[in-house]
Amino acid sequence: MAEENKSSLDALSALCKRRGFIYHSSEIYGGMPGFWDYGPLGCELKQNVKQAWWQFTVRGREDVVGLDATIIMHPRIWKASGHLDTFADPMTMCKDCKKLMRADQVKDIYADQKKKPQPKVAGAEFFCPYCGGELTEPKPFNLMFKTVVGPIDDPSNVAYLRPETAQAIFAQFTNVTATSRMAVPYGIAQMGKSFRNEVTPRNYTFRSREFEQMELEFFIRPDEAIELQYGHVVTLADKPDLNGPVQDDWGWEVWHKYWVEQRKKFLNAVGLPTERFVEYWQKPDELAHYARACVDIEYDFPFGRQELEGIAARSDFDLTQHQIHSKVPQTVFDDPLKQACKKLTDEQKAAFVAKTQKDWLDRKQKAQSAKAGKEIVFSADEAAAVAAQAKAFCENLFDGKYVPHVIEPSAGVDRLMLALLCEAYEEQALTDEKGKADVRTVLHFHPKVAPVKVAIFPLIKKDPDQDRIAREIFAKLQKKVNCQWDVSGAIGRRYRRQDEAGTPWCITVDAQTVQDGTFTVRERDSMTQSRMTYGEFLAKMYEALEF
RNA sequence: GCGGGCGUAGCUCAAUGGCAGAGCUCCAGCCUUCCAAGCUGGCUACGAGGGUUCGAUUCCCUUCGCCCGCUCCA
């Protein structure tokens, strides 16, 4: 099974090269590991995937706007986001077993081991947790690509290529809020390149060093604000209708689940059926410290089940970090909230503060306990600090001010493309009327993402009428969708060529077309043919392309 | 970075210390051509460098690259 899967990825990557979907970057110079180029068909596929995402996430909604930020940004952004610290892991390697690991995790790995190896060098404190061997000096390995901005190559001019697009959205949050006529809850979406200096790029295009992301930061009110305004917060226990319009009294849990469902709808719409991916809810001890929940949508790639996209509930962590580091308030003003709070008595407010203080303390202790794997109780000082934070937060809320929380659906364009290619790829065993066996290689792309929508052929290229009429159809369709023209070889060969490109329809102009204008439309998946007029074909095509 | 495997045409594979071949693909043309299978012609390769040798794709050395493995989460 693993062998079969491996060979199917080999066959797929061979097809991708042969037909011009994916090439190795800089191939004539030997290639660059972890970098891939998209050829003529690949770049069309990519455009279509991105366009579908943008339509579904931004243009098709009234509560999401777009952003297109630079790849190089102020380096302090990465300090605030934590990437400068957490992405700069000191790495060490065992001189004996050659295992590579993070130096700061050596003790944890050792603690997790059932068989605890003894250090091979007597008395050594820093040794390989797997075999006891000697470890190399830890060397910092920063996953961010460094560059220099300006004419002087000096440490003060160091900048980084962004490791994710999300931070630009946070960094421009106040500008977008001020200029877009949007109010929380609303989202900012961005597509673009990101860069990570991966230790080991592998699995074809799956883990690349330069890749493209499609990210949405959907900003929501904190649950406490909803509680104050509506007297309740809708949670999943209330079984809200996630397919209908969004509701003002949804809490973060509902928004998070809502976006999980939206992402699944999108994947369905571009050709990944629900049964082909799995939804993995991260367990409390797997969550990043700031995350309240995170769902991975995973796909069974030939090399194993791997993450396609993630939908994280990140609380107010990111905006708060930028507020601290930039000293620019990231709060929004929510007038309905302020008006609602005006009606509260001092006793009601005090009770709300007390309740919030208790909730925060419970939640933080629970989160840390889950991480540590044992019951953690805060000291009196720690508890007092949490209480003070909660009180300040509540007082801001009473003034209608808060830092929005965020739900982050984050997808990889290249990963989705790879999944769509794997999903679409099929080698069909056929038998013709004469009983001869034949293999047809076909990419069953959804028409929305298919790089070429229609191919047009004159049945007999020497026939001037057929050639002329076919060219007229080609010219007309070219103004609407991506088309191909092919007169080379026998008609069956032309069909098979289009099958490998994943073209959903082929139009063949024959002698009858010259008489009555109808032509043969051949369907990629069923290989069936039917005669229709140009108008009938257009209607059929548009129906399949519509979202 | 370390270990293992592999480098001959776009792909799959030959052969050889003395002119590097085939099949498929691709391109041009022929054939009144609706599912790759006819005919003619064409393009394209010994990863790179050095050594031994009259002569190296072949033998030796070095180097480069690719694939797989080392808890990187788009």
Side-chain angles (χ1 to χ4, degrees):
Chain A
M1 169 110 165
E3 279 297 308
E4 269 174 45
N5 284 340
K6 198 76 237 165
S7 67
S8 81
L9 187 64
D10 288 346
L12 176 67
S13 57
L15 170 71
C16 283
K17 179 164 185 191
R18 187 168 74 240
R19 287 296 171 191
F21 281 96
I22 300 171
Y23 313 123
H24 231 124
S25 165
S26 323
E27 194 182 281
I28 60 168
Y29 289 100
M32 282 281 280
F35 296 90
W36 300 91
D37 293 343
Y38 292 110
L41 292 182
C43 74
E44 291 290 342
L45 175 65
K46 186 175 185 184
Q47 292 266 347
N48 294 341
V49 166
K50 287 169 65 179
Q51 201 187 346
W53 187 87
W54 197 254
Q55 174 61 36
F56 189 92
T57 313
V58 183
R59 293 189 174 168
R61 302 181 61 95
E62 53 183 288
D63 55 0
V64 176
V65 291
L67 179 72
D68 186 353
T70 56
I71 286 168
I72 295 173
M73 293 183 281
H74 199 292
R76 285 178 62 200
I77 284 184
W78 308 114
K79 183 67 187 170
S81 70
H83 286 87
L84 211 44
D85 300 320
T86 61
F87 261 51
D89 303 324
M91 301 295 287
T92 186
M93 195 177 53
C94 174
K95 290 178 182 173
D96 289 344
C97 69
K98 308 298 181 194
K99 281 221 163 65
L100 191 69
M101 68 205 90
R102 274 169 55 178
D104 60 318
Q105 288 184 346
V106 167
K107 281 184 180 158
D108 293 341
I109 298 169
Y110 183 75
D112 290 342
Q113 294 288 21
K114 282 179 189 147
K115 286 183 191 166
K116 314 256 184 223
Q118 290 300 308
K120 290 179 185 170
V121 178
E125 275 187 31
F126 189 59
F127 57 91
C128 176
Y130 297 101
C131 73
E134 200 183 339
L135 293 174
T136 59
E137 276 297 302
K139 276 190 216 156
F141 184 88
N142 198 318
L143 258 44
M144 284 196 289
F145 283 103
K146 250 187 220 174
T147 187
V148 175
V149 174
I152 301 168
D153 188 348
D154 181 88
S156 65
N157 287 334
V158 164
Y160 303 92
L161 306 193
R162 65 183 178 200
E164 62 172 38
T165 58
Q167 292 305 321
I169 296 179
F170 298 125
Q172 289 291 11
F173 173 71
T174 51
N175 271 337
V176 176
T177 303
T179 57
S180 65
R181 302 180 56 243
M182 287 285 170
V184 173
Y186 87 98
I188 305 175
Q190 178 169 225
M191 305 186 295
K193 287 283 183 76
S194 292
F195 304 80
R196 293 183 193 173
N197 194 5
E198 300 288 351
V199 184
T200 316
R202 220 183 308 143
N203 290 332
Y204 202 26
T205 60
F206 183 80
R207 176 163 286 122
S208 300
R209 290 183 164 130
E210 175 172 343
F211 59 102
E212 188 145 358
Q213 293 182 301
M214 307 183 285
E215 295 196 297
L216 168 66
E217 302 301 330
F218 195 84
F219 299 97
I220 56 173
R221 298 161 140 185
D223 280 8
E224 291 86 347
I226 293 162
E227 171 88 45
L228 281 171
Q229 192 176 342
Y230 297 99
H232 67 271
V233 177
V234 175
T235 66
L236 290 177
D238 300 314
K239 300 211 173 0
D241 175 16
L242 298 176
N243 293 312
V246 300
Q247 301 296 330
D248 289 337
D249 56 357
W250 281 0
W252 72 266
E253 217 188 17
V254 179
W255 274 111
H256 180 243
K257 176 79 173 162
Y258 167 81
W259 276 108
V260 173
E261 294 306 312
Q262 288 295 305
R263 298 325 306 157
K264 285 156 70 179
K265 275 188 192 168
F266 169 75
L267 292 173
N268 290 163
V270 293
L272 273 193
T274 307
E275 62 272 17
R276 297 291 294 133
F277 53 80
V278 294
E279 188 180 328
Y280 177 78
W281 288 71
Q282 287 188 12
K283 299 186 178 64
D285 60 313
E286 294 171 327
L287 290 171
H289 68 276
Y290 48 81
R292 295 212 175 150
C294 187
V295 171
D296 293 338
I297 293 181
E298 300 177 329
Y299 176 77
D300 280 313
F301 286 97
F303 44 83
R305 180 172 292 178
Q306 296 282 352
E307 185 185 351
L308 208 52
E309 51 181 286
I311 302 100
R314 297 172 64 90
S315 71
D316 59 356
F317 175 78
D318 302 279
L319 287 179
T320 300
Q321 284 296 110
H322 286 298
Q323 179 166 279
I324 293 167
H325 285 259
S326 69
K327 310 256 189 332
V328 177
Q330 299 297 307
T331 51
V332 294
F333 176 66
D334 191 325
D335 198 44
L337 173 64
K338 185 176 180 181
Q339 298 310 320
C341 291
K342 268 188 182 170
K343 295 176 189 149
L344 298 177
T345 64
D346 287 349
E347 289 73 29
Q348 285 173 313
K349 284 184 181 175
F352 185 81
V353 171
K355 178 172 178 287
T356 304
Q357 286 173 323
K358 183 178 178 302
D359 287 351
W360 279 35
L361 186 64
D362 282 356
R363 192 176 65 230
K364 292 195 180 202
Q365 287 189 155
K366 249 189 209 163
Q368 290 213 2
S369 301
K371 257 299 183 249
K374 61 180 179 195
E375 184 73 17
I376 292 208
V377 179
F378 282 12
S379 69
D381 283 354
E382 287 169 326
V386 172
Q389 278 172 16
K391 186 157 190 280
F393 168 76
C394 289
E395 278 164 3
N396 267 330
L397 279 185
F398 298 150
D399 286 338
K401 286 184 191 163
Y402 53 81
V403 174
H405 285 225
V406 71
I407 307 293
E408 180 190 88
S410 171
V413 179
D414 314 83
R415 288 186 176 185
L416 178 53
M417 287 174 70
L418 185 57
L420 291 175
L421 280 162
C422 291
E423 188 63 23
Y425 185 82
E426 189 194 8
E427 287 174 17
Q428 276 180 346
L430 300 180
T431 313
D432 67 12
E433 316 82 68
K434 293 165 199 149
K436 278 187 193 159
D438 182 21
V439 175
R440 178 173 85 121
T441 304
V442 52
L443 289 174
H444 298 282
F445 288 128
H446 190 289
K448 270 199 277 288
V449 296
V452 180
K453 310 296 186 208
V454 196
I456 297 106
F457 322 134
L459 182 61
I460 295 161
K461 69 174 169 182
K462 286 264 170 145
D463 183 313
D465 288 332
Q466 288 181 23
D467 183 80
R468 176 179 48 81
I469 293 169
R471 277 197 178 278
E472 284 168 9
I473 294 168
F474 178 54
K476 277 198 282 186
L477 279 171
Q478 244 184 337
K479 292 181 183 152
K480 304 178 192 303
V481 292
N482 194 34
C483 300
Q484 278 197 353
W485 171 260
D486 191 355
V487 294
S488 162
I491 191 72
R493 184 179 292 262
R494 292 182 236 169
Y495 287 148
R496 297 298 176 89
R497 253 186 224 127
Q498 295 302 327
D499 288 339
E500 286 201 342
T503 306
W505 304 286
C506 295
I507 288 178
T508 300
V509 167
D510 59 13
Q512 193 183 330
T513 314
V514 180
Q515 305 303 315
D516 65 11
T518 64
F519 45 68
T520 304
V521 173
R522 182 264 195 183
E523 306 258 350
R524 174 196 64 200
D525 295 344
S526 61
M527 296 169 70
T528 53
Q529 303 180 27
S530 45
R531 283 202 88 82
M532 57 184 80
T533 63
Y534 181 74
E536 285 164 347
F537 174 73
L538 270 194
K540 177 192 181 67
M541 181 180 79
Y542 280 136
E543 195 191 339
L545 294 181
E546 199 175 299
F547 239 108

